[in-house]
Amino acid sequence: MMPRIPLRSCAAWLLPLIAVLLLTGCQSAYYGALEKVGIHKRELMVDRVEEGRDAQVEAEQQFASALEQFRAVVRVPDSELSETYERLETSHERSEAAAERVQSRIDDIESVAEALFEEWEDELDLYQSAEYRRLSEQRLRQTRQRYAQMRDAMQEAADSMQPVLLVMRDNVLLLKHNLNARAIGALRGEVDGLEREVAALRERMQAAISRSNAFIETLHDIDDGR
C-alpha cells in the first residue's frame, strides 16, 4: 500500500479549490475534485476521524484544566478574586471553543461517511463475481456497524459537554457580578458536583477516543486487504 500523505500537508493548495466547491454547496463535486488529485473518500475519512479524535483529546484536556481553575478559585483570598475570575472566564471560553470544535469534526466525519458508504453501496452492483460481491457487502456491513458505534460514542461525549458548560457559565456569571466571599462560598458547594460531571464526561470522551482509534484501524485493515 502506498504511504498516505496527511491531508494537512496538502492544505495550502487544496484550500482555494475547497472554498469554491463549498460555496457551490455541491458535495459530489467536492469529493470528485479531491479524487482527481488522488485523495479518495476512505483516505479523507481516516483523516477526519483522526482530526475528530485529536479534537476530543484536546477537549478532554481543556475540561480537566477548567476544573482545576474552578478548584483554585475557591481557595484564593478575596484580594485575588478579580485576577482569578479572569482566568476562570478564559478557561470557560476555551472549553466552549473546544466543544464546538468536537461537534464540527463530528459533522465533517458524518459528511464523508455518508458519501463513502453510498459509493461503496453503488459499487456492489459492478461485481461480476458473486463471491467478491458477498465479501465486499460483508465488509461494508461491518464497517458501517463500527462506524455507527464510533459516531454514537463521539456524539454522546459531545452532548455531555453541554451540561458541564452550563454549570461553568452559571458560576462564571455569578462571580462576574459578585467578587466576594459569599459568591466563593456558593461556588464551593458546586465544585464537588462539577468534579463528578467532568469525571463522567472524561470517561465518555476516552471511550469515544478508543472507538475512533479502533475505527481508524478498521479502515487501515481494509486498505491492507485484511
Side-chain angles (χ1 to χ4, degrees), residues 4 11 14 36 38 52 54 61 69 74 82 99 135 167-168 183 187 214:
R4 188 174 69 84
L14 280 176
K36 286 181 180 178
D54 293 347
Q61 293 170 348
Q69 292 295 334
V74 302
S82 179
L135 290 173
V167 172
M168 288 182 180
L187 177 58

Side-chain angles (χ1 to χ4, degrees), residues 80-106:
E80 297 178 19
L81 279 180
S82 179
E83 183 178 319
T84 305
Y85 161 74
E86 291 176 1
R87 290 199 299 269
L88 196 62
E89 182 183 36
T90 298
S91 186
H92 173 249
E93 290 173 351
R94 288 175 178 170
S95 298
E96 286 189 324
E100 289 173 3
R101 280 194 297 275
V102 168
Q103 187 60 60
S104 177
R105 296 295 181 263
I106 293 173

Side-chain angles (χ1 to χ4, degrees), residues 1-4 42 46 139 216-226:
M1 182 182 72
M2 294 291 291
R4 188 174 69 84
R42 187 173 289 123
V46 170
R139 180 55 65 90
I216 290 167
E217 287 302 313
T218 294
L219 294 178
H220 284 323
D221 288 348
I222 292 172
D223 287 340
D224 292 339
R226 295 200 295 270

Side-chain angles (χ1 to χ4, degrees), residues 10-204:
C10 305
W13 58 272
L14 280 176
L15 282 177
L17 171 64
I18 291 172
V20 170
L21 291 171
L22 288 179
L23 285 173
T24 66
C26 183
Q27 290 285 351
S28 60
Y30 166 64
Y31 293 121
L34 289 177
E35 288 188 356
K36 286 181 180 178
V37 294
I39 300 173
H40 298 282
K41 295 182 185 70
R42 187 173 289 123
E43 181 182 358
L44 187 61
M45 179 77 150
V46 170
D47 195 79
R48 288 189 178 178
V49 174
E50 288 176 344
E51 289 179 345
R53 176 202 59 199
D54 293 347
Q56 291 173 98
V57 170
E58 291 167 5
E60 183 192 358
Q61 293 170 348
Q62 175 54 43
F63 274 83
S65 174
L67 177 60
E68 286 304 314
Q69 292 295 334
F70 274 87
R71 285 173 176 153
V73 77
V74 302
R75 296 193 296 265
V76 300
D78 290 356
S79 60
E80 297 178 19
L81 279 180
S82 179
E83 183 178 319
T84 305
Y85 161 74
E86 291 176 1
R87 290 199 299 269
L88 196 62
E89 182 183 36
T90 298
S91 186
H92 173 249
E93 290 173 351
R94 288 175 178 170
S95 298
E96 286 189 324
E100 289 173 3
R101 280 194 297 275
V102 168
Q103 187 60 60
S104 177
R105 296 295 181 263
I106 293 173
D107 294 342
D108 289 343
I109 291 167
E110 289 180 336
S111 174
V112 71
E114 181 180 348
L116 172 63
F117 292 138
E118 182 178 335
E119 178 185 70
W120 196 339
E121 188 85 40
D122 290 343
E123 288 177 347
L124 292 175
D125 293 332
L126 301 180
Y127 282 102
Q128 296 299 307
S129 167
E131 178 63 14
Y132 286 176
R133 177 191 169 109
R134 185 189 66 79
L135 290 173
S136 184
E137 195 169 17
Q138 182 182 41
R139 180 55 65 90
L140 170 59
R141 185 167 56 253
Q142 292 171 344
T143 306
R144 268 182 165 155
Q145 182 180 25
R146 291 169 185 169
Y147 163 74
Q149 292 169 344
M150 178 201 70
R151 180 203 59 210
D152 291 349
M154 292 180 73
Q155 192 61 61
E156 181 182 5
D159 292 343
S160 297
M161 295 182 200
Q162 298 310 312
V164 177
L165 288 171
L166 290 175
V167 172
M168 288 182 180
R169 186 179 66 185
D170 279 356
N171 286 284
V172 168
L173 287 173
L174 176 67
L175 286 177
K176 180 178 182 179
H177 302 292
N178 301 275
L179 290 174
N180 52 46
R182 184 175 180 180
I184 292 301
L187 177 58
R188 189 175 290 115
E190 294 286 333
V191 169
D192 288 346
L194 188 59
E195 285 183 348
R196 288 191 295 271
E197 290 203 36
V198 171
L201 170 60
R202 294 184 69 188
E203 284 184 10
R204 293 188 187 97

